[in-house]
Structure formats: C-alpha cells, structure tokens
Amino acid sequence: MQKKHIITIGSDPEIFIENDFEIVSAIGMIPGSKNKPHPISDEGHFIQTDNIAFEFNIPPCSDEDSFVKHINYVKDYLEVIAIANGFKLSTKASGEINPKYLEHPQAQEFGCEPDFNPYTQSINQKPNSDTNLRCVGGHIHIGYPNPSQETSEKIIKAFDIFVTLPALLIDTDGRRRELYGKAGAFRFKDPWGVEARALSNFWIHSEDLTRWVYQQTIKAVECVLDGKIDKLIETYSEKVVIAINTNDKQLANRILDEINNIEKILTN
C-alpha cells in the first residue's frame, strides 16, 4: 500500500511452545534475555525468552512485504528450534499452565516496565503473579516523524479504532486481557515513536492477518498525521474502550457498522 508519510512498523511478538497436550516452558531453550536479546542475523532480528515464552524482535519496516518477511524469518527460525526439542510453536494466546513449568523464577516475572493508558492518563497496574494463567502479545512498534506525547496518544487511540476493535472479531482468545492488553495499553518509545500493546499474537500465524495488521496500523497513523482523527476519537472512544476491555463482540460489530464508511465520516 502507498503511504503518505514516513512511517515504520516493527514488532516484538511472543509465542508459546507446546507438546501434543499442553503449553510448556521455553526457558533455557534459546539464548537471550530482556536485557540482552540474542542476535540471529545482521539485519536486526533478535530472540529471547520472556516468562515461559519465546519472544523475538524484527527491524523497523517501511513497507508491508518487509514486515511479513521479517516476521516469518524469525518465526521459522524458532519453529526449527522448537521441533528439534520435540515441541511445536503454539497458536494459543493464553492458557492455564501446568505448575511444574512455573517453578523457575523467570516464570513468575510479569512485565519489565509499566505501560500506560491514554484514556485515564495513568499507569496500568502490573498483573497479579499469583496465577497459572500466562499469555503472549503481538505488540506493534510505530515510528513516525517528530514524535510527541500528544501525537503518540492519538495514534494509540486511533490504533484501538482501526486495529484493536476489529481484531476482537478475529482473535479467538478470550482470556489474555485478564492480564494484559486493555484498550490503549502503550509505551512511549523515544526517540522514534510509540508501542501499541493491546494485541495478542493472533496475527503472526497467518500472512493475511500479518498484512492486515500492517495495513490497518498505517491507516490509523495516517489518519492522525493528516489531522482527521479527532472526530472519531470524540465520537467512539468511550464505546471502543468498553468493547475491547469486556471482549464485547456485539458492541464491536455495532461500532464498526457505524464507522464502516470511514472516508465519508472523516470528511463530514
């Protein structure tokens, strides 16, 4: 798709591994940590473990095909490692984990840094670690010209409208938001932009969905940079937050029906 602005999209997805019966721990299976991710190429691909899951990083991408290529490159790399150890990559975004896989101290670590809520202007609380529920995310990194706090917060609200809300109708996971991924969850990323943290990793398992996330993110950012987002935020954000945080697919459908003809609404 043709972009009107200089925008880059990156990601740091997490992914579970599993056997034929359950999600298992990936701790110790690959090198790398939050503080020191392990490079696997000279193009900006890194791997590590986060809690009990694999995590990987891709370089910032300025076009859709590159985004797909880099996601698949690291996913394929990790799949080889999982298979070599007798496991496979999981498509699950959350699950109750057998306690034997949670004995390692790393399995009790939740979140290295706080994230924020642009709707309440507050820091999101860390999840309670006294649970066997674990989840994985598919966070989106957005680079754009001359980042500012105001613009980043608008981008996150636009991301919820264009990406997180319709994703409710695609993502089959129903429990991740008990821990992470409430509406608007984000981190400022100086000096290049902002990280949208609401999505699970559902989209990395399909090239069509990987492309969809890229395309919808670009639409959201361009809507903000073109100065066309304020009316949508004012009109829909309160309902969007409710739909996302309660996983209300019926409400999401009603909102999306109302804003289906985006171009018409934005030019009113």
Side-chain angles (χ1 to χ4, degrees), residues 30 38-40 47 72-82:
I30 58 173
H38 179 73
I40 61 170
I47 60 172
N72 287 339
Y73 177 87
V74 192
K75 190 158 64 92
D76 291 347
Y77 182 96
L78 291 173
E79 185 172 34
V80 170
I81 294 173

Side-chain angles (χ1 to χ4, degrees), residues 46 51 57 87 89 91 94 103 111 142 151 169-170 172 186 189 205 207 209 212 222 242 244 252 255-256 258:
F46 294 85
N51 202 282
N57 307 78
F87 304 110
L89 299 184
T91 59
S94 68
E103 294 174 357
I142 301 165
T151 302
L169 308 179
I170 305 169
T172 59
F186 82 103
K189 288 293 183 178
H205 304 295
E207 181 173 323
L209 291 177
W212 178 82
E222 289 191 334
I242 293 170
I244 293 170
I255 298 168
L256 291 168
E258 287 185 34

Side-chain angles (χ1 to χ4, degrees), residues 169-189:
L169 308 179
I170 305 169
D171 188 355
T172 59
D173 177 72
R175 297 201 62 190
R176 177 174 171 267
R177 288 196 170 92
E178 294 177 28
L179 298 177
Y180 288 109
K182 294 289 198 299
F186 82 103
R187 288 178 183 155
F188 295 112
K189 288 293 183 178

